[in-house]
Each structure stands twice: as C-alpha cells, then as structure tokens.
Amino acid sequence: DRSSGTRVSDTELRVYKDPSKGELPLLPEEHVQDSAKDVTYICPFIGPVRGSLSVTNYRLFFRCTDREPVFGLDLPLGVLSRVEKIGAATSRGDVSYGLACKDMRNLRFVHKEPEDSLKKSVFEVLMKFAFPVSNNMSLFAFEYKQVFPENGWKVYDPLAEYKRQGLPNESWRISKVNDHYELCDSYPAALVVPVTITDEELRRVSSFRAKGRIPVLSWIHPESQAAVVRASQPMVGQNGRRCKEDEKLLQAIMDANAQSHKMFIFDARPSVNAAANKMKGGGYESEDAYQNAELVFLDIHNIHVMRESLRKLKEVVYPNIEDSHWLSNLESTHWLEHIKLILAGALRIADKVESGKTSVVVHCSDGWDRTPQLTSLALIMLDSHYRTIRGFQILLEKEWLSFGHRFQQRVGHGDKNHTDADRSPIFLQFIDCVWQMTRQFPAAFEFNEYFLITILDHLYSCLFGTFLCNSEQQRLKEEVPKHTVSLWSFVNSQLEEFVNPLYVGYPSHVLFPTVGIRHLQLWVTYYIRWNPRMRPQEPVHQRYKELLAKRAELQKRVEELQREAANRTASSSSERAGSPTRSITPVQTFV
Amino acid sequence: VCVKKRKKQKFRTFSMHVLTLYMVKVYVSSSEIVVNEANFVRKCIGAESCQDDLWGKLVCTNFKVSFIAHNSLPRQCTHRLLGEHDIPLACVEQVVTVNDVKGKQKILGSNQKLKFNPTELILYCKDFRIIRFRFDEAGPESAKKVCLAIAHYSHPADPQLLFGFEYVGKRYHGSTASHSNMVNGVDPGGGLQTPLFDCSSDWDREIKRTGASEWRVCTINQGYFISPSLPEFFVVPVSLADQDLKQYACCFYSQRIPLWCWNHSSGSALVRMSNISDPQQQRKVEQRISSAITKSHPLRSDVFKSDLDKNLPNIQDIQAALLKLRQICVIDSFEESEEKWLSSLESSRWMEYVRTFLRHAVEVVYMLESRHVSVILLEKEDRDLSCVISCLVQLMCDPHCRSLHSFQGLIQKEWVMAGHRFLDRCNHLKRNDKEESPVFLLFLDCVWQLWNQYPAAFEFTEVYLTVLGDSMWVPVFSTFLFNCPRQRAEHSRDFASSKSIHLGQDQALCFPPVWDWSQQFSLKDQTLFNNPLYVGKIATCVQNGTVKTFTHRRSKVSC
C-alpha cells in the first residue's frame, strides 16, 4: 500500500520482484526535484550497480537497471549527515560522491558531470534538499499532510499522566509558574513540585540551577510515595555557593516521602568531570549543605565521548567486519561499556526507589542528556505502564520531548554542519538500553524490535514533527503540532506491526535487568542491518504477526466456550433447580 | 563468640525440622545409598558476604552430592532425579579441600588420605558451577570423611560403578519381567518417538525418507564381529557386496567401513570415513569406495573428500578452548574481567572454533547442494569431528532434522551409533585427561548459533539444548555412558551376569536413553522444550520451490 507507504525500508537493497513496482513511491506533497540516469552506486557488498537516481524533497531513490532482480535504495534525505564530492573528475568526466548517513552507513555514487556547466548535477540538488535548514527551506515534515485515523499529538496530556500517578496529592502540587516558559525555557509548562514550596521560592531556585532547570518530580511510587526527581547541576562554583531555597526544596522532596529519612542525589557524571564543572560555575551538592542526602556519581561520560564511541563502532561494523578480531574490535569502541554504565545507573536509581523506598534526585550538567536517559530507563523498570506501546510514547513525550532533550541540536535535522560538536547519539543510546532490556525480559514489553527501529528511523527522517526542535516552547512557537504529523499518528494507526506476541504484561512487576557486560549484546539488527550477511535470516516479523492472529483466534474461541459454559449452567440450574450444581472448571487461558 | 552462639541456637530450633525433612526426602530409587554425611555444614552462596549462606546437611550418595538445607522448605523439585542443591558425582570435576587456618589445600582423588581437617570443600563442576561448603561448625572428623567419600565416589574405578548400572539393574530385581520395565516409575522405551537406529528398520525408514534408493542396510557387523566401534546396522552403497566390505574392513582404522549418513534431495550422499591404515591398499580401496558412491548417485557425480583433521581444530584444541572459557566465565574475578570480557572471550578461541565448524559445514552443504556431488567426511578415527559436521550439514539442509524427535534421532545416528566416545570424552572415570574433550558441547553451541539465526526453524528451544548438555553429567542414560554400542552391550551383559540379574526377554540391561525425558522432567516441564516460534517442517524448508540454504551466513558472534 504505497499511498500510506511511509514505512522506511529496513533493508538497504530492496528486492523488487515485479520491476514495475520499482517505480518511485511518492508521499503526499512529495515532488521529484531532479533525476539522473547512468548513476553508479558503489555497493560495498555486491560491487558497482548502475541505475537511475531520483531526488525528491523527501527522499533519495536509486533503482538499478542492469541486473535482475531489481535492486533499489530508498532513504529519507534526513538521514544524510554529509554529502561531498570525492576527488576530482576522472578523464572520462566521472565524479565520485560520498554520502555519510546518521543511521550507520555510508553510500558512494559515481556520476558523469553534466557537460553543460550551467546545469546542476543531481548531487548538487541533493545537497540542497538534504540540508533544508542550512538553505533556508522548511523540513519536509511541514509539507507532509498525510491524514491518519488517530491524532498522535493527543497521546500525551501531562495532566492526565500526572493524574494517573495520583498527582496532585497532599504533598505535591502542579505549579503553573512555568506556564509561559519564563522560569525555564527548556522545561514543560506543567511542573510537579512539593506543596510546601512557593512559586517565588522556585524562581530563586531556578537562578541556582543550570539553565534554570529546577528539581521537579518525574514519577512517584504508587505505594511508598518515593519520588524520582530530575534537575540540572547546582551552580555551586569554586566558592561553594549555596541557595537556601534549593536546600529547602530538596528537604521538602525528602519530607514528602514518609518512608525514608534520607535521599539520594545521583549525579550522572564521573566525579572528576563534576568537580571540573565547578570551574565553570557549576558543580554538585555538598553533603554539608544538603544533610540527609547522599551523593552518588554514576560515571557516565559526556556527549563527546559518546559521539566518538559511535564513530568507532561505525568504523568496526561498516561496511565490512573483520571476523577474526570482531570481539576485541567491538570492545575497543567501548560502546557496550557506555550502555552498561547507563543501565547500571538507572538500575541503582530504580533499586533505591523500589527497594529502599527512598526518593532520588537525578541530574548531570544541564539535565537534558544523561538525566533523561537515566530517569526514563528507571521509569521503565519501575512502572509497567511505560512498557506498553502507548505508555512508551508517553514516556518519550514526557521525559525527552517536554523536558527539553535538544533533539534538533543532537541530531542536526536538515543542517549541513556535520562536524557540529553538539551532535551526539544520546537518544540512540537510550533506545539501545531499552532494546537490551527487551532481550532480558522478552515478555515484559508490549512492543517489538521493529517499533524501536521505526522510532530511530523517524528520529532522522524528518517526516514527522515529533522529534523536531529542542524544547516544548520551541515546538509551540513553530506550531509543530499544527503543521506536522506526529510519529504516533502513524504508529498507532497500524499497531499490529509493532506488537510483541510474547507480551504478557506483568502489571506490578519491577524489572531489574542484569547489567554486566556479559549480558549485553550488540544490537546487530540495528547497527549492522545494512550488511546483507548480517541480516536476520528469517522473517520473524511475519511469524510474529501469525502468532498474534493465532492468539486472537484462540482468545475468541475461549470466550465462545466460556459463554457456552455459562449458558449451560444457567439453563441446567433453571431446569433442574434443587439438584446439586455442577462445578464448571474455569477455562484457563495462557494468552 | 556472641554471633556463633546465636547461630548455634538457630540450629537447635531447626534441628527437629531437619529431621522431618530428612525423613520425607526420597532418594532417586532404592538403588541410591547414602555413603557418608556431615551436619551443620554451610553452603556458600554469595561471593563477598555470607549473609545468604545456607546451613544444612551435606550428604554423599553413590549418585550425587546432596545438600539438605535446614531452613528452607522443600521446594517443589522440577528435576526428578536431582534437587535444587544436588550435584551428580559425574558432574564433579575436581574436589578441593582447604584448611584456611593451616593454609593448606589438597586436590583429592580416589582412595586418598587427608592429613588435615578441612575447613572448606570446593567442588569444581563440569557444568561450570563452583560450589563451596564450609565446615566451621561441623565435626572435624565427619567433615573429613564426607570429603573423602565425595572424592572417592566421584572417581569410579570401573564403568560399571557408574550409577546408571545400579539404577537400571535394580529394576530387574524382585519383580516379574512384565513389571520390570519401569525405571523410576517410568517406562524407558514407552512411547518413545525417537528412532534409536539400533535396528535395521530405523535405517530403512531413513533410506526411504531421503530417497536414497541406491543404498542398503548392511548387517555384517551383527554381534560386532567385523568392527568393534561400528553399530550392528549401518548403510552402504548397493554396489558393494558384503564380501567386498569384509575384505575392505581390515584396511580401515578400527575396521570402520565408511558409513552413509544422509542423502540430499539431489541424490548427493554424505558419507563418513576413517583413515585407511594400510598405505599399500589406500589407493585401491579409496577408489573402490569412491566409485561405489558415484554409482549410487543418480547423476553419477564425483565424490568430494573433505579432510576434517586438516581443516578443523583437534579435540585437544577444543578442550583447551573450553578450559580458557571456563577460566574467564567463572574463575577469574567478575569485576576485573568485566572490561576485558569481549577480548578475553575472543582469546579463548571457543567462538572461533564454533565458527570454524559452522563454516566448514556450510562448505560441505555447498558441495552437496550446488555442486551436486557426494561428500566423504574424512577423519582419522571418524568418531569426533565427523559427528559435528555431519549433524550440522543435515540440520542446515534438511528441515526434517529440526523437529525435536528427528534432532534426537540425528544425535542417535551420528553420535551414539557412530561410536562417539562419550565415556572418554566426558571423562566419566577421570582416568585420562588427554581424552577429555567437549566435542558434543561444541556441537550444541553450533546448533544454538543456528537456532539464534533461525529462531523459527527449530522445534526445540534454548532450554532444551541447555538441558541436553547438562544431561551428559547425569550418568544414567545410555546416550552418554559408553564409547560405542558394543561397549554398552558388553558392559550391560557383564554387569547382569556379575549381579546375577535375570534379564528376561532383554538381551542386555536396558538403559533409558536421555530422550526419555520423563526420567528427568514432568510432562508439564517438558513443554518448555517447545519453541513457540517454530513454523513446522514444511513451511521453512520450501520457499518458492527451492530448498532454503544458509550459504550466506556469518556466525553471529554475540554473547
């Protein structure tokens, strides 16, 4: 179904059984900008492939013409991080172009320069449309006008989510102090704070916390009332500045939980980095100023280290893998070690909240990278609601989008400045951690792997408005919900694609994953999916759907039988009133 | 002192309870005898602290080392032969006694003396467990005795001292022949759907199933008169007469006439063969065998010889890799090895060997399937590497083999009947370490890798593979106790006559095969063997009329 065919292919080289279907699929408002015949794609796996290349305002589409079955490349321009000419033209006038992608692959094409020097090459057109922001154009998400049965922008309603958690209550209130984003422009409008702290005091606290990101509640334990609170670093500086309102706020957070007379402050950074931040006016809470609070450093490195680690990982996995040193090469990227530290940090937070019944405050430097990684993973461990498809969407909308993870900056949507030091795969790491948990608890998550990959693909695609901008305020200003489609509209309109057939949904289970490096795996089906030799050998996705259908069928049958059994009891008891009632064995379902 | 006192008090409160527990504890069968025991033993659970340690009684029987915890209620045991804290003696690799006051340590063998009173007993197990018991509160003499008993009984001097003999022998006692077929309350052969390949009809069926019409069942080894390590029935090309085979037999290592394993649907055959020991005859015999195999091919295709000794690691390499793997998995400190885990894993070479075997099998598949030639797997003795490769080839090509019962049949055919030396490779008698090698475990690992790459292609699960691997160390199954069918026959006959067991209609003691899973697990637990993703034999094998192959495969090296 091509009309709603917004699905980004998860295979690089799609095999078109029927060549007529190899035609360029076009989305609403998608238009061909340029196309060229006689382009050669230098495929690292099967060698050079000749074909035609089309560039639209949304995608790059390459279709090979010289071999059967017909191969194609179909990728959204949003995944491109760099397009460059490699070397000078050859004597035959051939020019090489290299395309570096955000999704772990590089593409190379060879193309003859147009003889008419005034005519633009298809790659020059590509460069323009791949980086619309740098060229003062709008992202395709603002053009795309697909209508879906469900409006994904309505998935997250902060007040409804807080209500689900039982908020406000006698200890916590919902403050409107940030209604116009005046207290903190990277925070959401609705903030949950202790009732004993006034808005005026919150304003004072905001001047003491980096970027005004004050400690506010993310989640509250339904029984113990232990809270997960997030913030940015305190502006302690070299002189050890203090702020009595901030101290009062943290005391109030601790007091809101009657179960514990202690609290933990988790600083995501390595202690050395946290100390170094004092030179720049930042720092961490001293235990003198915050009595009864214990400070723990989680040793997670900053965005630059993570970016470098992913770069190394790409080097190791793309295009070819050195079999004989695969494991040691993987080790040298430290990618899994970073994943481990993040998961281990989240585990400690979840453990303190669940087992210790203690409230926790989590922060890093600005509180918008490592902090959402930690809080959202801890929340997934603690609250089964976030392991459902819709609950996970709410979690992303809340912890990542509304609390201002800088998606625009970290991903660099439509921006040609590929060396920008603000880019970093923070969100990718989070999704990787979630994937690791789905491996360890295969029946605890309602969504499947394809759901996670779809989210990552649309993190870069710029087809949906969901991951655009840096904050809630910016999204409102740009009227993103009004002018773009939400990724959740697309996802929730075809949920059957994303459901895990093994899902059982333990409603009150807390998941404590094992975080040792021995239990972590490289997410091969994401990071190495372009390598045809590493692709899953069997279409498990299809099998999942069959299982779901089978389950639905069995469930229906159980209901029928239960009805039938109920009717029989009803009729037999009315017919033979007075006779001993037969006990009906309940039909057990394992679905 | 104060702490100790409190602990002792705890014993007293529990001791009554222990007694009752002990009374209700039922041993495997009347064939199991308690040899020695010590009370007030502490089983160490955590590595750093002793807060989770358990107190109880350490018991050594002729089957297992058992620990009966004082303060835990009897759990519903999921295993029918072993409790939560039990270790079969065959699973014990090394018995180490320690006296930490005197700083002494001794590895105990059979019939040895111990000059110090042990404060600690460490059992290193074949299944990678390391179990520690402390004797701080136990009587020094009883601690010493139980350690010596464990060391002695875990080193049986003779195969017939392996528990399986007692276990099976007991059922012939004191009951009429008609009732005697129950082992542990279960009929060993009853309803078993797995072909054992110990009769010619199983082979006939396999010939028919694979369409190998130019191959026949050969019966010249009945009574094991030709080759000591071959089964009584096996399959050969129709063009080779019994007379010829008898003549060629003496040229081969241990008189092992080449064995047919399987036919590809194209008619190409997979054959396994040992080295020809007589160099003068080599060319001639090789040629005769090859031409007979060619004649059995519908296209009269050539024969490709695949030299396994040359291309694959040998059994010592495999054993060395496993020891390194164990070192990094359980012996090295977890914390320290964490950072270097992947590179240590790589340097153990275990994964590399798994990959080498899989890759070699893929090459053989390619010859059979794309080149349409028959393949001879050549190995000096034809009893180790060939077992792995022939099974992997069949698993890759033949969806039939991926169902649970056929997979078991496959192991029966290519390992048990073909004479893989399970007794020596498992080193059940702990006599010759040089012969010990985890070839079968390596095979299971290869299957696990395939299973991971094709999660819907196999009827069984990871749990099944794990349990199958563990069963090697439960010494009651015919599958893993012997080096070859003849050895099984001889030992069971001798044991029966030495114990004056009347076998009735049986020719020899009937050991249950491991495939009789009811020996170990309830039917409910056995449902864990079923893979919910399995799509069935037909659906996976044929796609658009072609058999799906695995030629573009890279061993997914994940951990």
Side-chain angles (χ1 to χ4, degrees):
Chain A
D1 186 11
R2 290 269 162 239
S3 60
S4 62
T6 48
R7 229 169 96 182
V8 175
S9 154
D10 58 351
T11 52
E12 180 193 29
L13 299 170
R14 221 189 268 176
V15 179
Y16 294 105
K17 294 254 164 60
D18 178 1
S20 67
K21 286 204 179 140
E23 291 308 315
L24 175 58
L26 285 179
L27 299 172
E29 303 305 316
E30 182 182 3
H31 305 292
V32 177
Q33 305 298 325
D34 196 10
S35 49
K37 287 176 178 143
D38 253 6
V39 175
T40 306
Y41 166 51
I42 314 289
C43 176
F45 309 110
I46 56 172
V49 185
R50 280 161 61 92
S52 59
L53 182 89
S54 299
V55 174
T56 74
N57 46 347
Y58 170 63
R59 81 181 81 212
L60 177 157
F61 187 78
F62 174 82
R63 181 169 167 254
C64 97
T65 44
D66 69 345
R67 60 170 77 206
E68 287 290 331
V70 176
F71 286 122
L73 263 179
D74 181 356
L75 59 145
L77 298 179
V79 305
L80 298 176
S81 67
R82 186 170 75 207
V83 178
E84 60 178 5
K85 216 186 233 183
I86 304 169
T90 64
S91 53
R92 292 189 305 170
D94 285 343
V95 185
S96 248
Y97 286 91
L99 279 60
C101 301
K102 295 168 181 172
D103 61 358
M104 305 294 283
R105 58 181 157 163
N106 295 323
L107 307 173
R108 245 187 89 194
F109 293 95
V110 177
H111 180 48
K112 205 180 265 303
E113 280 295 80
E115 275 161 27
D116 179 358
S117 56
L118 290 175
K119 192 183 178 304
K120 275 185 175 173
S121 140
V122 69
F123 287 95
E124 283 168 67
V125 176
L126 174 69
M127 267 184 246
K128 182 176 158 198
F129 284 91
F131 307 112
V133 172
S134 305
N135 291 300
N136 286 322
M137 301 181 334
S138 63
L139 292 162
F140 183 70
F142 289 95
E143 323 275 320
Y144 178 57
K145 292 286 182 288
Q146 181 80 49
V147 178
F148 290 97
E150 189 184 318
N151 182 0
W153 291 116
K154 298 207 164 132
V155 160
Y156 177 57
D157 169 4
L159 296 183
E161 167 58 17
Y162 288 126
K163 195 175 169 206
R164 185 187 71 87
Q165 296 185 24
L167 298 167
N169 63 14
E170 67 277 13
S171 310
W172 297 90
R173 67 185 178 97
I174 295 172
S175 166
K176 293 197 167 177
V177 67
N178 202 36
D179 237 6
H180 303 288
Y181 308 103
E182 280 160 349
L183 179 88
C184 171
D185 60 1
S186 60
Y187 257 15
L191 299 175
V192 179
V193 293
V195 282
T196 51
I197 305 294
T198 64
D199 285 353
E200 189 43 43
E201 284 168 321
L202 293 178
R203 282 191 197 98
R204 296 231 187 87
V205 174
S206 80
S207 64
F208 182 64
R209 290 277 167 178
K211 309 283 195 300
R213 295 170 66 90
I214 61 170
V216 295
L217 179 139
S218 265
W219 187 78
I220 185 160
H221 194 286
E223 281 146 29
S224 71
Q225 302 288 301
V228 177
V229 173
R230 58 181 292 171
S232 63
Q233 65 180 338
M235 301 306 281
V236 173
Q238 282 170 296
N239 302 326
R241 233 161 34 100
R242 290 175 63 163
C243 167
K244 71 173 195 304
E245 287 81 7
D246 193 72
E247 289 160 28
K248 186 183 169 195
L249 173 57
L250 261 63
Q251 184 62 42
I253 291 167
M254 184 160 50
D255 293 342
N257 168 21
Q259 303 261 359
S260 177
H261 301 291
K262 207 181 164 184
M263 83 184 305
F264 281 87
I265 299 172
F266 286 100
D267 188 326
R269 302 165 290 185
S271 58
V272 184
N273 299 30
N277 257 289
K278 286 189 179 174
M279 308 286 285
K280 294 182 264 176
Y284 49 88
E285 294 82 355
S286 74
E287 288 180 14
D288 294 338
Y290 299 86
Q291 289 186 359
N292 306 321
E294 191 177 325
L295 184 69
V296 179
F297 293 103
L298 295 175
D299 288 325
I300 302 169
H301 285 279
N302 63 25
I303 60 167
H304 311 294
V305 175
M306 302 309 185
R307 183 178 57 238
E308 181 59 16
S309 175
L310 186 70
R311 189 191 62 74
K312 281 190 196 149
L313 182 65
K314 187 170 174 179
E315 258 175 24
V316 168
V317 302
Y318 193 91
N320 291 308
I321 294 167
E322 195 192 341
D323 278 334
S324 51
H325 295 105
W326 164 238
L327 292 174
S328 47
N329 284 344
L330 177 60
E331 183 176 281
S332 69
T333 70
H334 299 290
W335 183 255
L336 288 177
E337 218 175 293
H338 296 312
I339 295 288
K340 174 194 145 169
L341 283 169
I342 295 165
L343 271 171
L347 180 68
R348 290 180 72 171
I349 293 167
D351 178 56
K352 281 284 171 280
V353 173
E354 176 64 26
S355 318
K357 298 184 168 129
T358 314
S359 292
V360 298
V361 174
V362 185
H363 70 72
C364 45
S365 296
D366 290 324
W368 54 41
D369 291 311
R370 288 166 275 197
T371 301
Q373 283 181 335
L374 290 165
T375 55
S376 49
L377 285 168
L379 264 46
I380 288 171
M381 294 173 197
L382 289 163
D383 188 341
S384 64
H385 179 60
Y386 298 125
R387 297 172 219 142
T388 64
I389 292 181
R390 281 171 199 274
F392 190 75
Q393 293 169 3
I394 289 170
L395 182 75
L396 295 191
E397 288 283 349
K398 176 171 168 298
E399 286 303 301
W400 290 85
L401 291 156
S402 82
F403 275 96
H405 172 68
R406 304 177 75 76
F407 278 102
Q408 172 63 41
Q409 238 179 23
R410 297 290 176 253
V411 179
H413 295 304
D415 184 350
K416 69 174 180 188
N417 183 14
H418 61 88
T419 55
D420 188 349
D422 277 325
R423 290 195 188 178
S424 189
I426 299 302
F427 185 71
L428 166 65
Q429 268 184 330
F430 159 69
I431 296 287
D432 192 331
C433 292
V434 174
W435 180 83
Q436 304 285 351
M437 285 181 64
T438 65
R439 294 288 104 177
Q440 295 189 23
F441 303 97
F445 291 83
E446 193 192 6
F447 47 83
N448 59 21
E449 181 179 47
Y450 182 60
F451 175 70
L452 297 178
I453 293 180
T454 302
I455 290 173
L456 287 178
D457 281 342
H458 290 297
L459 170 65
Y460 307 124
S461 77
C462 296
L463 182 59
F464 300 104
T466 302
F467 296 116
L468 304 185
C469 303
N470 287 323
S471 64
E472 186 176 291
Q473 185 205 26
Q474 274 186 19
R475 272 184 286 276
L476 274 187
K477 202 176 132 214
E478 307 256 337
E479 295 182 290
V480 171
K482 191 173 155 199
H483 297 301
T484 72
V485 180
S486 161
L487 171 58
W488 316 129
S489 305
F490 164 74
V491 166
N492 295 346
S493 301
Q494 42 173 346
L495 279 176
E496 68 283 357
E497 294 285 330
F498 305 109
V499 174
N500 167 18
L502 304 177
Y503 178 57
V504 186
Y506 317 106
S508 56
H509 279 44
V510 175
L511 307 183
F512 291 123
T514 326
V515 297
I517 204 100
R518 291 162 171 78
H519 294 273
L520 302 182
Q521 297 174 32
L522 184 71
W523 187 8
V524 169
T525 39
Y526 179 74
Y527 296 110
I528 325 187
R529 61 182 160 152
W530 310 123
N531 186 336
R533 295 175 66 200
M534 292 303 287
R535 220 160 272 161
Q537 305 249 5
E538 277 183 328
V540 175
H541 195 65
Q542 186 55 35
R543 183 66 187 145
Y544 277 177
K545 282 202 211 164
E546 286 166 25
L547 282 175
L548 284 169
K550 184 86 190 158
R551 186 172 74 171
E553 186 191 308
L554 290 173
Q555 214 152 17
K556 212 174 128 199
R557 180 91 185 115
V558 165
E559 280 157 22
E560 277 171 21
L561 289 171
Q562 270 167 341
R563 256 200 309 277
E564 205 176 296
N567 287 342
R568 273 194 205 168
T569 13
S571 59
S572 70
S573 59
S574 62
E575 277 167 24
R576 287 184 281 166
S579 69
T581 33
R582 279 184 304 164
S583 64
I584 303 292
T585 329
V587 181
Q588 281 201 349
T589 58
F590 293 101
V591 289
Chain B
V1 179
C2 183
V3 175
K4 267 190 181 169
K5 258 189 189 162
R6 264 183 35 213
K7 269 180 193 158
K8 279 213 169 135
Q9 225 158 24
K10 206 168 158 191
F11 292 150
R12 272 183 218 118
T13 27
F14 280 115
S15 53
M16 277 307 290
H17 183 49
V18 172
L19 201 68
T20 45
L21 251 187
Y22 186 60
M23 304 289 278
V24 294
K25 172 88 192 173
V26 180
Y27 287 100
V28 165
S29 68
S30 53
S31 45
E32 188 174 6
I33 314 155
V34 174
V35 177
N36 216 311
E37 57 188 40
N39 218 332
F40 306 127
V41 176
R42 196 172 85 205
K43 180 176 173 177
C44 306
I45 303 289
E48 283 120 38
S49 77
C50 53
Q51 62 178 32
D52 297 324
D53 289 357
L54 296 171
W55 292 88
K57 178 188 280 202
L58 180 64
V59 183
C60 174
T61 77
N62 55 342
F63 169 51
K64 64 183 184 244
V65 177
S66 197
F67 179 79
I68 302 156
H70 288 174
N71 49 352
S72 71
L73 290 165
R75 284 204 336 177
Q76 209 186 349
C77 266
T78 48
H79 199 282
R80 284 182 167 166
L81 302 178
L82 296 165
E84 193 190 353
H85 300 288
D86 291 352
I87 313 146
L89 290 166
C91 189
V92 175
E93 165 105 47
Q94 205 174 53
V95 180
V96 180
T97 46
V98 182
N99 183 313
D100 46 15
V101 183
K102 293 181 181 164
K104 285 187 176 171
Q105 183 170 332
K106 184 171 181 181
I107 299 168
L108 286 181
S110 138
N111 261 332
Q112 276 182 322
K113 288 207 173 96
L114 189 57
K115 286 181 187 152
F116 57 86
N117 289 323
T119 53
E120 188 172 328
L121 168 70
I122 309 172
L123 299 179
Y124 290 89
C125 301
K126 304 245 195 188
D127 59 5
F128 280 32
R129 275 184 295 177
I130 300 171
I131 296 168
R132 284 167 57 218
F133 296 103
R134 300 268 324 168
F135 300 115
D136 306 286
E137 310 284 341
E141 272 308 307
S142 67
K144 195 187 218 176
K145 274 184 189 157
V146 80
C147 291
L148 289 170
I150 291 168
H152 184 70
Y153 279 83
S154 58
H155 291 78
D158 184 272
Q160 290 178 26
L161 291 173
L162 288 166
F163 180 68
F165 284 88
E166 274 299 322
Y167 179 69
V168 177
K170 260 297 185 284
R171 76 192 168 96
Y172 290 93
H173 271 302
S175 58
T176 61
S178 59
H179 288 122
S180 71
N181 279 343
M182 307 286 276
V183 174
N184 199 21
V186 191
D187 179 3
L192 200 64
Q193 287 169 274
T194 300
L196 297 178
F197 291 95
D198 56 353
C199 55
S200 64
S201 59
D202 283 345
W203 288 104
D204 274 327
R205 253 191 302 277
E206 187 69 356
I207 288 174
K208 211 173 215 173
R209 187 184 73 78
T210 58
S213 53
E214 295 297 306
W215 298 81
R216 67 176 180 93
V217 181
C218 164
T219 57
I220 56 170
N221 201 36
Q222 263 186 306
Y224 309 102
F225 292 126
I226 302 287
S227 166
S229 69
L230 284 186
E232 291 189 281
F233 307 98
F234 50 88
V235 174
V236 295
V238 278
S239 58
L240 289 177
D242 283 355
Q243 271 315 313
D244 302 332
L245 292 171
K246 279 181 192 163
Q247 190 194 332
Y248 301 149
C250 53
C251 308
F252 287 98
Y253 203 93
S254 162
Q255 294 81 50
R256 284 179 70 94
I257 296 163
L259 298 175
W260 173 87
C261 305
W262 174 80
N263 250 38
H264 187 266
S265 55
S266 67
S268 309
L270 182 66
V271 176
R272 44 194 289 178
M273 185 166 109
S274 65
N275 279 4
I276 296 169
S277 46
D278 183 349
Q280 292 185 320
Q281 298 283 321
Q282 189 173 0
R283 272 216 81 187
K284 193 187 97 194
V285 174
E286 235 175 50
Q287 212 155 30
R288 289 278 178 83
I289 299 290
S290 295
S291 77
I293 295 172
T294 300
K295 270 187 206 157
S296 290
H297 196 292
L299 305 173
R300 306 286 176 269
S301 296
D302 274 346
V303 174
F304 173 79
K305 288 195 199 72
S306 173
D307 189 335
L308 305 186
D309 291 319
K310 213 180 267 175
N311 291 299
L312 297 171
N314 63 32
I315 59 160
Q316 284 89 13
D317 296 336
I318 297 168
Q319 171 72 358
L322 186 82
L323 292 181
K324 276 187 207 143
L325 187 66
R326 185 167 68 174
Q327 181 75 28
I328 60 167
C329 282
V330 293
I331 297 177
D332 288 348
S333 132
F334 244 59
E335 284 301 308
E336 284 165 34
S337 57
E338 183 80 0
E339 266 176 42
K340 290 274 152 216
W341 165 248
L342 290 173
S343 48
S344 325
L345 183 63
E346 183 176 289
S347 66
S348 78
R349 306 191 74 174
W350 180 261
M351 302 292 283
E352 181 190 325
Y353 292 162
V354 169
R355 198 162 72 90
T356 312
F357 274 86
L358 282 167
R359 201 176 43 202
H360 196 87
V362 169
E363 279 162 25
V364 174
V365 169
Y366 171 75
M367 298 311 288
L368 291 165
E369 184 150 306
S370 305
R371 301 278 303 276
H372 302 295
V373 297
S374 293
V375 176
I376 297 180
L377 305 177
L378 211 59
E379 187 194 354
K380 189 178 172 206
E381 285 195 60
D382 179 37
R383 295 172 75 175
D384 291 297
L385 312 178
S386 311
C387 307
V388 184
I389 297 295
S390 69
C391 276
L392 289 178
V393 168
Q394 292 172 62
L395 276 172
M396 287 176 184
C397 292
D398 190 346
H400 175 82
C401 302
R402 299 175 214 140
S403 77
L404 186 111
H405 287 296
S406 311
F407 178 69
Q408 300 185 153
L410 185 67
I411 293 170
Q412 197 64 29
K413 182 170 78 151
E414 302 297 342
W415 293 79
V416 181
M417 285 301 140
H420 176 67
R421 301 171 188 273
F422 276 110
L423 183 68
D424 294 346
R425 297 291 173 257
C426 294
N427 204 8
H428 282 316
L429 306 181
K430 301 187 178 66
R431 257 196 232 144
N432 193 348
D433 291 347
K434 274 190 195 141
E435 292 291 326
E436 182 170 350
S437 181
V439 186
F440 188 68
L441 182 65
L442 182 95
F443 163 68
L444 292 183
D445 198 335
C446 292
V447 178
W448 184 83
Q449 302 288 346
L450 286 176
W451 187 92
N452 261 278
Q453 292 184 31
Y454 297 86
F458 296 88
E459 191 183 16
F460 46 85
T461 54
E462 186 178 18
V463 171
Y464 170 81
L465 292 173
T466 313
V467 161
L468 179 56
D470 283 344
S471 301
M472 272 194 283
W473 315 115
V474 183
V476 297
F477 307 114
S478 59
T479 321
F480 304 122
L481 277 184
F482 305 102
N483 283 336
C484 58
R486 177 184 159 174
Q487 193 190 31
R488 179 177 70 144
E490 284 179 354
H491 277 302
S492 17
R493 209 174 45 228
D494 295 353
F495 184 81
S497 69
S498 70
K499 301 268 165 167
S500 318
I501 295 170
H502 294 290
L503 293 174
Q505 289 168 329
D506 296 347
Q507 305 227 315
L509 287 183
C510 266
F511 288 88
V514 70
W515 321 127
D516 180 6
W517 290 107
S518 304
Q519 295 284 331
Q520 298 190 71
F521 304 100
S522 68
L523 284 175
K524 186 168 166 261
D525 285 346
Q526 286 178 49
T527 56
L528 293 174
F529 295 172
N530 295 326
N531 177 6
L533 296 181
Y534 181 53
V535 287
K537 290 177 202 175
I538 292 121
T540 28
C541 77
V542 180
Q543 278 191 345
N544 304 328
T546 54
V547 177
K548 200 175 171 200
T549 57
F550 305 69
T551 25
H552 292 291
R553 205 202 63 257
R554 171 196 301 272
S555 161
K556 189 172 86 178
V557 195
S558 60
C559 40

